[in-house]
């Protein structure tokens, strides 16, 4: 996939951009999706391990990626939490770090909006990168390569984006059509180590719950 140097969390943050409307989608659950990507990558890199359902750091090493390393430090300094809990706990911190990083690499541009409540917004600067990322993610979703021949990082990208119902990747009907493929990619995401499959399942389940809760809240409003 393009910009392979970017973390899984950063690629999920970019994939959420609609390049036709130049608008960020899935804003209400984006922080949870990006945090899920960061947790998954740290587990895939063997920086975090499962300890009876608890996410535990297993190394003093760092990745060199500021957002991932900040998350590792937060987990080290916090009380023990489950994987599902870490998907939502202080997840905005990871999203902020990832977006700051993407602004630094020129993928996004930071804008400060002044008013009664000043706020920071981002504008997409590299739609070409996002289009290429989406095209490659769609290829992973629809085939033709068997799931076991897809890299674990690419498989995790599609599995998590589908769990979050990210419409920039696939419509609802497409997610239903490729349900078995998504399940196979989820399995592929955790094949690097025996315990990793459980971690991926826990993180993905948390994303599914957040997506369902967000949809239910929007429907009742």
């Amino acid at each position: 996939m393009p910009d392979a140097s970017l973390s899984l969390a950063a690629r999920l943050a970019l994939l959420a951009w609609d390049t036709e409307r130049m608008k960020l989608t899935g804003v209400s659950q984006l922080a949870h999706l990006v945090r899920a990507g960061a947790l998954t990558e740290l587990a895939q890199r063997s920086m975090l391990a499962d300890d009876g359902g608890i996410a535990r750091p297993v190394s003093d090493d760092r990745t060199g990626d500021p957002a991932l390393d900040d998350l590792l430090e937060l987990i080290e300094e916090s009380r023990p939490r489950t994987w599902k809990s870490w998907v939502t706990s202080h997840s905005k911190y990871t999203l902020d770090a990832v977006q700051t990083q993407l602004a630094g690499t020129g993928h996004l541009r930071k804008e400060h909006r002044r008013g009664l409540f000043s706020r920071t917004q981002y504008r997409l600067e590299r739609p070409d990168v996002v289009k290429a990322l989406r095209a490659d993610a769609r290829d992973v979703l629809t085939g033709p390569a068997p799931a076991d021949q897809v890299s674990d990082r690419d498989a995790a990208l599609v599995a998590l984006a589908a769990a979050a119902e990210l419409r920039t990747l696939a419509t609802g009907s497409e997610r239903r059509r490729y349900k078995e493929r998504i399940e196979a990619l989820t399995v592929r995401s955790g094949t690097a180590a025996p315990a990793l499959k459980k971690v991926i399942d826990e993180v993905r389940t948390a994303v599914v719950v957040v997506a369902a809760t967000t949809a239910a809240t929007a429907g009742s409003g």
Side-chain angles (χ1 to χ4, degrees), residues 1-51:
M1 288 194 179
D3 277 330
S5 62
L6 292 175
S7 69
L8 176 57
R11 291 195 294 164
L12 285 166
L14 288 176
L15 191 60
W17 280 89
D18 182 333
T19 54
E20 298 299 319
R21 299 192 297 166
M22 293 297 286
K23 183 178 180 180
L24 191 59
T25 64
V27 175
S28 60
Q29 61 196 52
L30 183 59
H32 306 124
L33 175 60
V34 169
R35 169 61 67 78
L39 289 168
T40 298
E41 178 154 349
L42 289 172
Q44 288 179 335
R45 290 191 184 201
S46 299
M47 310 291 284
L48 289 177
D50 181 68
D51 180 10

Side-chain angles (χ1 to χ4, degrees), residues 156-178:
L157 177 79
V158 173
L160 290 174
E165 300 181 0
L166 205 60
R167 62 180 178 80
T168 50
L169 171 67
T171 64
S173 61
E174 286 176 323
R175 289 193 301 272
R176 290 189 292 274
R177 185 189 316 160
Y178 294 108

